[in-house]
Amino acid sequence: MNDATPSRLPAQDLPDLQIGRGFDLLAGVRVIDLSSSIAGPTASMLLSDFGAEVIKIERPGTGDDARAWGPPFLHGQSLWFMSVNRNKKSVTLDPSSPEGLEALHGLMGKADVVLVNQLPRVTGKLRIDADTIRTIRPDIVYVSITGFGMDGERADWGCYDLIAEGYSGVMDVTGSPEGGPQKVGAPAADMLAGQDAAMATMAALFSRQATGRGRIVDVALVDSMTRFMSCRIVPYLGSGEVPIRSGGTDSVIAIYQAFDTADLPITLGLGNDGIWRRFWAAVGDPEFGARPDYADNARRRGRRPEIVERIQHHLSGAPREHWLEVLREARVPVGPINRVDEVAQDEELRRRGVLYNLADGDRSIPQVGTGIRFDGAANVPRAAPPGLGQHTDEILADLLGYDADKLEALRSAGTI
């Protein structure tokens, strides 16, 4: 493994944050997480961010697939893995052996939530399917994240984020008209499905308080990503107009795109008539904005090319910072187009607890926080991303009563 070790890491400039108590809204909820990669770990990290105890079950020796995703690595761990696995306890366990399955079922019997991202044929083979788990704990909230869902002809098809994006239509509308389809620049389907799973889990737990019933939650990457496309799909269904790649210049809002300035580009959204008028006053051309043929969004959409040309003429006359200041003062939505390194330097994101450096013994781990505040406070992590099997003995001893001899026997057999 090649650690990311330039002379000074960008993370060293982030605010330092110590491990603390964090949000406790889900305190007392225990999650057994058998997922790997990004979508499932995103879901369980969100639950842990809100206070749930997450026990991450991993394969002995190798663990979560994402542990091997790199370079870059930091402190011998994949930075992709570290981005979605804080606040968790890692237990290595092989459920393919009778002893491993007994231990896993024992842990599930003491859990509120079981999270899997294995295909239905695999969960059935390993006896971690919903029907089996409900015989152990009838009121369990069983959460499945797969590419295509738990039923239907696609249920056992393999899927990654990239595949789901292709199915959803988002790649076909992403990119320039001259280029081919493009993937979104982050694992959008994984992150959306993970958020959906966390949201559905919390709803199921809330319902269980009143009814005593568990739930089977079925989240599919393709479904989540297709819902993400609803503002493109519904207009097509109601009009027959197929959206095409435009480089981000074909919004239903007439002016909603990037523009060049004298140095760096900006984003600009003129989403209603008031903003439209304020923009033209701010650039010193109120007469153009007051023309009757631009009186509403529908008419502006019909004459978009000439409006874009006029806006570009004005914005090219001054640098980005000038326009950001002028247009913000005029209450016009405007912003820069940041690179990732510029996002990392954003002082407001740092102040709001979105970006920080987590102190963990003699190492520091960069993190992107929960991004949600309660009562004016940002979240605080309870634990760093775990080492592989870091909590195996602790969990099996505390929850199942395994003694040192039994743990050693399981370890010798390769079960843990």
Side-chain angles (χ1 to χ4, degrees), residues 354-374:
V354 177
L355 301 170
Y356 59 84
N357 213 20
L358 174 59
D360 180 45
D362 60 355
R363 63 178 188 161
S364 294
I365 299 172
Q367 291 285 281
V368 176
T370 311
I372 299 170
R373 296 168 73 91
F374 282 97

Side-chain angles (χ1 to χ4, degrees), residues 120 148-157:
F148 301 97
M150 298 174 69
D151 58 6
E153 64 179 19
R154 301 174 178 173
D156 282 320
W157 293 6

Side-chain angles (χ1 to χ4, degrees), residues 144-317:
S144 167
I145 306 177
T146 59
F148 301 97
M150 298 174 69
D151 58 6
E153 64 179 19
R154 301 174 178 173
D156 282 320
W157 293 6
C159 188
Y160 280 114
D161 171 88
L162 171 67
I163 312 305
E165 288 191 31
Y167 268 92
S168 74
V170 71
M171 290 178 66
D172 187 61
V173 297
T174 301
S176 66
E178 301 79 19
Q182 292 185 11
K183 186 191 178 305
V184 176
D190 278 335
M191 302 298 280
L192 285 166
Q195 291 176 5
D196 285 352
M199 176 176 63
T201 299
M202 289 187 276
L205 289 169
F206 183 78
S207 172
R208 192 178 72 174
Q209 288 183 321
T211 66
R213 290 178 50 208
R215 300 280 180 163
I216 299 174
V217 178
D218 180 2
V219 175
L221 269 67
V222 172
D223 294 357
S224 294
M225 200 66 204
T226 300
R227 193 191 71 248
F228 175 78
M229 286 288 291
S230 61
C231 291
R232 290 290 196 172
I233 295 171
V234 171
Y236 159 71
L237 293 173
S239 70
E241 297 179 7
V242 180
I244 60 174
R245 285 189 297 282
S246 69
T249 63
D250 66 337
S251 170
V252 69
I253 300 173
I255 302 302
Y256 195 81
Q257 64 183 73
F259 287 92
D260 291 326
T261 69
D263 54 3
L264 298 169
I266 62 172
T267 53
L268 179 67
L270 308 184
N272 62 43
D273 295 342
I275 295 172
W276 168 264
R277 290 190 293 269
R278 294 198 298 274
F279 170 81
W280 291 106
V283 299
D285 196 2
E287 296 81 8
F288 183 85
R291 286 173 49 172
D293 43 353
Y294 304 146
D296 56 38
N297 187 71
R299 280 180 271 192
R300 293 194 285 269
R301 283 196 74 194
R303 309 191 71 161
R304 179 182 275 150
E306 64 196 60
I307 297 172
V308 167
E309 182 179 5
R310 185 81 167 208
I311 292 173
Q312 188 58 75
H313 169 75
H314 283 292
L315 297 182
S316 296

Side-chain angles (χ1 to χ4, degrees), residues 10 185-186 337-346 349-350 355 368:
I337 299 176
N338 287 332
R339 301 184 308 270
V340 168
D341 60 309
E342 292 173 316
V343 175
Q345 296 165 16
D346 190 303
L349 291 176
R350 295 179 180 190
L355 301 170
V368 176

